[in-house]
């Protein structure tokens, strides 16, 4: 990928934080970042972004796998429907970007003030990473984090709170370590290796 300039395309604010941290730590310069509102909007743009990559920048697109019934290569091909432009990098977080967030178990446990043993590993094996993350937040000793990150709407009904994206993005920028995270998330490791080569 061209280290002089990258267009970043993601589906939400948390994905933007994670992708930005990965790219900047590896020495890439993000010229423009576009946050599409959700999976569907991002998918609609994949063909055009693939065709126009390297005009003038390479494109790095990050999405979630979301389903254990689909493998990342199948998802990528279904989105692009053709050959991949050499300047187009569509990477897939297994199962969701939250699995990459939790993959730095040490930092995430410290952030939540919980035991690191409560975070499953490898995090790619978690079928519902967002719900797992919210469940872990409920165990946090920090009342502020619990209030900001999660809304408890009854049994088995956790929803993201008003500070979910900003506070987790803050965690990514200030505490998350890519090397530690890649040891617990094979899909993150593959993304980092792909960018490095």
């Amino acid at each position: 990928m061209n280290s002089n300039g990258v267009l970043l395309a993601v589906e939400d604010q948390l994905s933007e934080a994670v992708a930005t941290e990965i790219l900047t730590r590896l020495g890439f310069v993000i010229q423009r970042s576009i946050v599409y509102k959700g999976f569907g909007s991002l998918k609609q743009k994949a063909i055009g972004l693939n065709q126009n990559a390297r005009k003038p920048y390479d494109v790095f697109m990050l999405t979630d796998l979301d389903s254990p019934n689909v493998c990342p290569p199948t998802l990528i091909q279904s989105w692009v429907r053709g050959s991949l432009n050499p300047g187009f990098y569509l990477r897939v977080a297994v199962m969701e970007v939250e699995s990459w967030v939790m993959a730095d178990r040490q930092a995430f446990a410290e952030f939540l003030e919980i035991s690191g043993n409560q975070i499953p590993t490898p995090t790619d094996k978690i079928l519902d990473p967002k719900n797992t993350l919210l469940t872990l937040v409920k165990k946090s000793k920090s009342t502020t984090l619990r209030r900001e990150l999660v809304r408890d709407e009854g049994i088995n009904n956790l929803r993201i709170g008003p500070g979910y994206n900003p506070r987790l993005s803050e965690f990514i920028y200030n505490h998350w370590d890519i090397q530690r995270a890649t040891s617990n998330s094979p899909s993150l490791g593959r993304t980092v290796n792909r960018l490095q080569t």
Side-chain angles (χ1 to χ4, degrees):
M1 187 151 63
N2 184 352
S3 60
N4 294 324
V6 179
L7 170 68
L8 174 61
V10 294
E11 59 184 76
D12 56 39
Q13 184 184 350
L14 183 56
S15 295
E16 180 183 34
V18 170
T20 297
E21 186 67 7
I22 293 168
L23 291 170
T24 55
R25 287 283 178 96
L26 295 177
F28 296 100
V29 177
I30 299 171
Q31 296 291 343
R32 186 174 171 210
S33 180
I34 305 172
V35 180
Y36 295 99
K37 300 300 180 187
F39 176 93
S41 298
L42 187 64
K43 180 179 179 180
Q44 288 178 350
K45 300 295 182 182
I47 292 175
L49 288 171
N50 177 48
Q51 290 171 345
N52 293 311
R54 296 217 163 155
K55 297 178 185 175
Y57 306 118
D58 286 354
V59 174
F60 182 85
M61 178 180 277
L62 176 62
T63 191
D64 295 337
L65 185 62
D66 288 324
S67 170
N69 299 321
V70 180
C71 65
T74 300
L75 182 145
I76 291 168
Q77 192 49 237
S78 72
W79 280 33
V80 175
R81 293 187 229 145
S83 321
L84 286 173
N85 184 321
F88 182 72
Y89 299 81
L90 172 53
R91 304 308 298 177
V92 182
V94 178
M95 299 288 295
E96 297 171 322
V97 77
E98 282 83 357
S99 64
W100 289 8
V101 173
M102 292 184 289
D104 182 353
R105 296 169 76 223
Q106 176 186 327
F108 196 64
E110 291 171 2
F111 176 69
L112 292 185
E113 300 178 46
I114 62 171
S115 164
N117 294 333
Q118 295 183 66
I119 303 171
T121 187
T123 53
D124 286 7
K125 296 287 187 184
I126 303 170
L127 292 179
D128 190 347
K130 185 174 290 181
N131 188 67
T132 298
L133 188 150
L134 292 173
T135 301
L136 291 171
V137 172
K138 290 290 290 179
K139 298 175 182 179
S140 173
K141 294 177 184 174
S142 169
T143 55
T144 301
L145 281 180
R146 291 197 309 268
R147 183 177 65 250
E148 292 184 356
L149 268 63
V150 63
R151 289 185 313 182
D152 191 343
E153 298 180 352
I155 298 173
N156 298 324
N157 195 18
L158 300 177
R159 297 285 183 256
I160 65 171
Y164 184 85
N165 285 312
R167 289 303 298 271
L168 289 178
S169 296
E170 176 188 317
F171 163 75
I172 292 297
Y173 292 131
N174 296 322
H175 307 288
W176 190 68
D177 182 90
I178 294 173
Q179 288 187 324
R180 286 195 303 254
T182 55
S183 68
N184 293 309
S185 170
S187 65
L188 174 59
R190 288 191 297 271
T191 293
V192 170
N193 289 338
R194 179 75 174 93
L195 290 170
Q196 288 175 326
T197 57

